Amino acid sequence: MSPGPARRLVPSYLATGGVGAPEHSRFEELTALQATGRSALPHHTPAHQRLLDLVSDGGLTVMETAGYLRLPVGVVKMLAAQLVSDGHLRAAAPLPDALAPAINAGRPDKALLEEVMHGLLAL
């Protein structure tokens, strides 16, 4: 098997501009990120700009953003924390498991949805 195209590796600290995450950040992989519409500032790195561009049309989770940007999740958490601190991103924590039953109360049962799916596929 031949190796794929060579990819230039950039150290994580360069993607964040050499700055760590602010102390108050507590992002998880399922934290939702959404742009506020503010443009990047001169001190933001190209990685910051790419993250803002990616979430400008809608929200994504930290994990999805890391996948699209091809960056480690930890780096995306730091970038997002910096952008939230600067007012360029909004972050919404994932819902705790204790709230899931209340949210799912109005939704149909999984078994019912599977029956509907199988019925549609049979058409």
Side-chain angles (χ1 to χ4, degrees):
M1 176 177 359
S2 65
R7 188 173 138 207
R8 192 176 90 208
L9 296 177
V10 177
S12 300
Y13 65 86
L14 288 179
T16 63
V19 180
E23 288 182 25
H24 64 278
S25 69
R26 297 262 188 252
F27 292 120
E28 298 178 25
E29 284 78 7
L30 296 179
T31 299
L33 304 174
Q34 186 176 25
T36 61
R38 293 180 59 194
S39 300
L41 298 173
H43 71 272
H44 288 140
T45 65
H48 286 109
Q49 183 61 54
R50 289 181 21 227
L51 193 154
L52 286 173
D53 290 344
L54 186 62
V55 299
S56 65
D57 293 332
L60 290 173
T61 65
V62 169
M63 185 68 78
E64 291 170 318
T65 305
Y68 284 119
L69 295 177
R70 294 183 176 196
L71 289 172
V73 174
V75 171
V76 172
K77 287 179 183 181
M78 285 191 292
L79 293 170
Q82 292 166 355
L83 290 169
V84 167
S85 292
D86 291 346
H88 296 277
L89 279 182
R90 282 188 294 271
L95 295 173
D97 291 337
L99 294 178
I103 292 169
N104 291 328
R107 295 186 182 165
D109 183 35
K110 181 180 176 185
L112 174 64
L113 292 175
E114 287 177 351
E115 284 183 47
V116 171
M117 180 185 72
H118 292 302
L120 290 171
L121 290 172
L123 294 176

